[in-house]
Amino acid sequence: MKFCSVATASLCCALPSFLVGSTLGFQGFNHQKTFVTRKSSTSSLNIASTDYLSSLSNPAIIAAAATTTTTAVPPPSTLPPPQQDTSNDDDDTLSFHHASRSYFDIPLLTPKGPRANADVGTPHDSSRPFTEVGAISSGSWWCAQGGWPSPNQRATTEIFYVLEGHGCLTDRDGTTQHYFGPGDTVILPKGWSGRWDVLQDIHKIWFVHDHPNIEFDVNKEIIPAIITPYVGKVEPLHTKVAMEREAGDGFTHILYDNGPTTVGTSSRDVVSDQPIVNLQRTVCFHVLEGVFFLTNADDGTAQRCVAGDTIVLPKGWSGQRDVVEPVRELWVTVQE
């Protein structure tokens, strides 16, 4: 079993056994916006669950469940070509994919040029892909101030975490507005359409899942964007509210679950020696806080993961995780 780190290959090292504990979650509280008042609230789904990573590797559980600063982008000529994910698609082993925050630095994104349909300002954007595993892909996107209509209903579900900037998504009804900013998680379900307005240059990490439509009748219903704000670092893990406590002194909170796509946030104190065996779904993380190690089951190679990192564990992966500093993370699981 190997892993691929697109950030720094030298981070791979042999380590003893580590834990993959449940990544456990929290519900966000609205952080202050100085430029606008949030006009819509997010309705989140709270469910009692066992360790979500462990449950993904447990067929019995699966069967039961089935019932602020504007940043300028350098001119294109100064940008190096994006590095590609170097995982080996030809071998039979499963690799986990890792990218540090620096992999998505704005100067490393590839300019895409101005948006042709803009009707406010002169927005232009840049992007960099990270990896594609089955039906889910991930990467980073930056866009300058401006606005444009988005009338075509989405063919995929997108989940993104806002690193910088402020924006507003308007649903298809033309009146329901969703403001978002740094630290927020935004979900655009398949079938969403409406309008984008970038109020201050935006930089985000995204996950896109291509799946059959099951959650809405896209021809009849207005599908809303979903915004979940971030919890500040000052709140102790044990005082989290509106969350479900799990074994191992952790919490998980489900933000969205339509069947093929599940999104949540998790928190966990220091814990070790909890294996994950044969994941039944692909799992993607964006680490919000803390430090942990991921270790492959077969060869003991490990990767240190810190705040700002993005990780994808493919379906079928086995290994362990050791949480060495309390962790909070955004996660997405998908059915293949």
Side-chain angles (χ1 to χ4, degrees), residues 215-284:
E215 64 273 35
F216 294 101
D217 181 342
V218 298
N219 295 314
K220 296 181 180 179
E221 297 188 43
I222 294 175
I223 300 174
I226 301 168
I227 316 294
T228 302
Y230 180 60
V231 168
K233 297 181 181 180
V234 296
E235 188 178 13
L237 295 177
H238 66 274
T239 64
K240 296 286 176 292
V241 296
M243 296 181 299
E244 300 300 334
R245 188 173 181 86
E246 297 181 348
D249 294 323
F251 296 86
T252 191
H253 179 60
I254 305 301
L255 306 179
Y256 178 78
D257 187 356
N258 71 351
T261 312
T262 305
V263 184
T265 54
S266 298
S267 64
R268 173 168 289 279
D269 286 320
V270 174
V271 66
S272 61
D273 298 332
Q274 186 173 3
I276 296 300
V277 181
N278 189 25
L279 282 176
Q280 298 301 298
R281 281 187 168 202
T282 295
V283 183
C284 306

Side-chain angles (χ1 to χ4, degrees), residues 18-19 269-271 290-293 304-305 322-327:
F18 295 104
L19 129 86
D269 286 320
V270 174
V271 66
V291 180
F292 62 89
F293 286 87
R304 183 175 185 265
C305 303
D322 179 23
V323 179
V324 297
E325 294 181 10
V327 166

